[in-house]
Amino acid sequence: MEIVLERKWKKPNYTIGILSIDGKRFCETLEDTDRGLRDSMSIGQIKSLKKPHITAIPTGVYEVNLNTVSPKFGSRSFYKEVCKGKVPRLLNVKGFDGILIHAGNKAEDTDGCILVGQNKVVGQVINSQVTFRELYKILSNSKDKITIKII
């Protein structure tokens, strides 16, 4: 399964994107500020441009794991119900640790992660928990390796 996240609207304090699954548009996303990081850069280059907790991850292709309980979200009732705390995690993101796809509404909720929902409010996504629930159902039913391509 291939997820594609196309970053469309890059603003000073956030980034809005469109997330597609196997070529079909699924939802909008909210991330931290895109500072032009690419997975082809060295760790040193990434760290020199990265501002902790307010920088979107590098563009590139990452495997998505559904088998790790999130230390931050795993005990929250919503995630326990929806995914037993196993929030989708992006693997091997240069210069970043613990990057997840999860629910949230504002750039302050991202901390480098990808929030899913509907971009009907400037600089935010809404209906995030409903969107996350639908996304997790699709991902967890896949028998294929899951990757996300961020462009």
Side-chain angles (χ1 to χ4, degrees), residues 90-104:
L90 280 63
L91 304 178
N92 302 315
V93 180
K94 269 189 203 174
F96 291 77
D97 290 316
I99 299 300
L100 307 172
I101 301 172
H102 63 85

Side-chain angles (χ1 to χ4, degrees), residues 1-4 19-24 26 61-66 88 101 134-149:
M1 171 180 289
E2 182 184 48
I3 302 169
V4 174
L19 188 134
S20 301
I21 301 172
D22 290 336
K24 184 179 176 188
F26 179 75
V61 178
Y62 306 100
E63 186 175 344
V64 178
N65 174 313
L66 299 178
I101 301 172
E134 292 173 19
L135 176 65
Y136 191 81
K137 183 177 180 181
I138 292 167
L139 299 180
S140 64
N141 285 326
S142 176
K143 304 295 182 213
D144 300 324
K145 175 180 173 183
I146 302 169
T147 60
I148 184 167
K149 180 179 183 180

Side-chain angles (χ1 to χ4, degrees), residues 3 16-17 26 34 38 42-43 53 62 68 78 95 103 108 112 114-115 129-132:
I3 302 169
I16 299 290
F26 179 75
D34 183 334
R38 299 176 314 280
S42 70
I43 296 260
H53 310 290
Y62 306 100
T68 307
F78 171 73
E108 297 83 43
I114 300 166
L115 307 182
Q129 286 190 346
V130 170
T131 305
F132 177 84

Side-chain angles (χ1 to χ4, degrees), residues 6-125:
E6 183 179 1
R7 293 177 175 160
K8 298 290 278 183
W9 298 279
K10 300 173 184 180
K11 303 297 181 180
N13 297 316
Y14 63 87
T15 303
I16 299 290
I18 297 173
L19 188 134
S20 301
I21 301 172
D22 290 336
K24 184 179 176 188
R25 183 182 175 131
F26 179 75
C27 70
E28 286 83 43
T29 61
L30 176 63
E31 297 177 89
D32 284 323
T33 305
D34 183 334
R35 300 187 195 285
L37 305 181
R38 299 176 314 280
D39 67 347
S40 60
M41 294 174 154
S42 70
I43 296 260
Q45 289 174 302
I46 289 171
K47 287 186 176 185
S48 72
L49 295 170
K50 176 184 175 181
K51 294 183 180 180
H53 310 290
I54 56 171
T55 301
I57 65 172
T59 57
V61 178
Y62 306 100
E63 186 175 344
V64 178
N65 174 313
L66 299 178
N67 298 319
T68 307
V69 174
S70 166
K72 183 174 182 177
F73 298 111
S75 62
R76 294 186 185 179
S77 60
F78 171 73
Y79 294 102
K80 284 171 107 173
E81 174 202 334
V82 174
C83 54
K84 297 184 174 105
K86 296 179 179 179
V87 181
R89 179 179 300 267
L90 280 63
L91 304 178
N92 302 315
V93 180
K94 269 189 203 174
F96 291 77
D97 290 316
I99 299 300
L100 307 172
I101 301 172
H102 63 85
N105 302 110
K106 300 177 182 178
E108 297 83 43
D109 301 333
T110 66
D111 201 16
C113 295
I114 300 166
L115 307 182
V116 293
Q118 298 172 326
N119 178 231
K120 296 184 183 266
V121 177
V122 174
Q124 298 182 30
V125 290

